[in-house]
Amino acid sequence: MKYIFGNWKMYLDVEESHALAQEIAGLNIPDQVEAAVFPNTLVFAQVQEVLKKSDISVGAQNLNWVPQGAYTGATSAHLFAQARAEYALVGHSERRHLFGENNDDVRKKLEACLDAEITPVLCVGETAEDLDDGKREYRLKKQLQKALEGLDLSGDREMLIAYEPVWAIAGSGEGRACSPEDCAEVFLWLKEEIRQYTDATIPLLYGGSVKPDTVLSYLSLEAVDGVLTGTASTEATSFTAMIEAAQR
Ligand code: PGA
């Protein structure tokens, strides 16, 4: 299975999100590809409605661990589950670095997703500073340990992990993609690291400036199960091109 996930972030307005959902709703998604988009919370239900008969899943960009009650501005995993979210991004670098989410928050969100039967996509990645200081593994180790140690992944509980170096992300980072060679090395290390915490099969995605013309260089790496794309998923043509590339 190859995963092509598209995080629309806050790039699109209401009308544009609706239009994009309609444009991609008819896409033929082959059996060996799992496609999902992550629209803004405001348009989540609308996009889900458009895509509900398509082969494209819909996920939450962010949710809260609190279940229900006096939590102004929060949207719980439970509410997203009711709105038929199949996935949720947890710990995306923009949440961590622009909105101050820490590893404890991330852990609580992971647990909330699993309890609500939403498959979390845990995002991990080092900053440019970490990389320059030789702290890439240290940072990833910490993020993984806090997220995975003792996490209940029994039964039907599933999760994915996306490695997204902060510096590789367009817009919020420097937008210089991690090379496939570098990625291959990190992914082997990540797989070993993850195995310390669980025997569950956890698909591993790469994210950070993936484009239609580079997607295949990542997907063809044995350790890479898919990609989490931002910018390139916000246009029907490039999203379609990535789905097509995943079939090759
Ligand atoms: P990008 O974003 O593809 O625009 O770099 C990826 C992400 O943040 O998930």
Side-chain angles (χ1 to χ4, degrees):
M1 182 63 78
K2 293 288 180 194
Y3 298 82
I4 306 288
F5 281 10
N7 174 9
W8 295 357
K9 307 191 181 187
M10 214 174 68
Y11 280 126
L12 307 172
D13 67 19
V14 173
E15 233 169 82
E16 289 163 343
S17 303
H18 192 247
L20 177 57
Q22 281 178 322
E23 278 181 276
I24 61 175
L27 275 182
N28 178 33
I29 311 291
D31 289 347
Q32 75 273 23
V33 176
E34 167 69 356
V37 294
F38 297 76
N40 191 273
T41 301
L42 185 67
V43 291
F44 183 93
Q46 209 177 340
V47 169
Q48 204 283 331
E49 184 61 32
V50 175
L51 294 178
K52 72 179 179 197
K53 290 202 183 100
S54 78
D55 293 330
I56 300 173
S57 302
V58 184
Q61 289 182 14
N62 178 39
L63 46 71
N64 295 94
W65 64 83
V66 290
Q68 191 177 22
Y71 302 104
T72 302
T75 309
S76 66
H78 178 68
L79 281 172
F80 269 112
Q82 282 191 338
R84 298 194 195 84
E86 291 184 48
Y87 298 97
L89 303 180
V90 176
H92 187 277
S93 81
E94 283 147 22
R95 301 297 320 166
R96 292 181 191 261
H97 298 287
L98 303 177
F99 297 102
E101 251 177 51
N102 61 32
N103 284 327
D104 291 332
D105 301 331
V106 168
R107 174 60 179 250
K108 286 188 263 187
K109 291 184 181 194
L110 282 178
E111 289 177 1
C113 284
L114 293 167
D115 289 344
E117 295 179 9
I118 290 173
T119 301
V121 183
L122 167 69
C123 303
V124 296
E126 79 285 353
T127 63
E129 204 184 351
D130 289 334
L131 191 66
D132 292 346
D133 293 350
K135 284 188 170 168
R136 173 192 257 173
E137 295 186 358
Y138 164 83
R139 185 67 57 209
L140 294 172
K141 251 180 200 294
K142 254 192 133 156
Q143 291 175 342
L144 289 172
Q145 187 207 356
K146 284 280 198 172
L148 298 178
E149 199 167 53
L151 188 71
D152 180 7
L153 288 171
S154 61
D156 294 342
R157 294 166 156 242
E158 290 177 355
M159 72 178 288
L160 292 86
I161 295 178
Y163 169 61
E164 299 202 301
V166 178
W167 44 271
I169 298 177
S172 60
E174 293 162 33
R176 53 184 169 101
C178 185
S179 72
E181 296 74 32
D182 193 7
C183 232
E185 240 175 78
V186 181
F187 270 53
L188 290 180
W189 180 86
L190 280 171
K191 292 224 160 168
E192 281 297 306
E193 200 62 24
I194 293 164
R195 216 167 288 146
Q196 287 183 38
Y197 301 107
T198 175
D199 294 332
T201 305
I202 300 183
L204 260 188
L205 318 187
Y206 166 71
S209 299
V210 176
K211 304 279 176 256
D213 58 338
T214 59
V215 68
L216 208 51
S217 61
Y218 298 102
L219 293 179
S220 55
L221 298 172
E222 208 190 316
V224 175
D225 299 302
V227 289
L228 175 56
T229 69
T231 338
S233 68
T234 59
E235 278 181 21
T237 45
S238 48
F239 188 65
T240 308
M242 294 190 292
I243 303 275
E244 282 167 2
Q247 304 177 44
R248 283 186 221 139

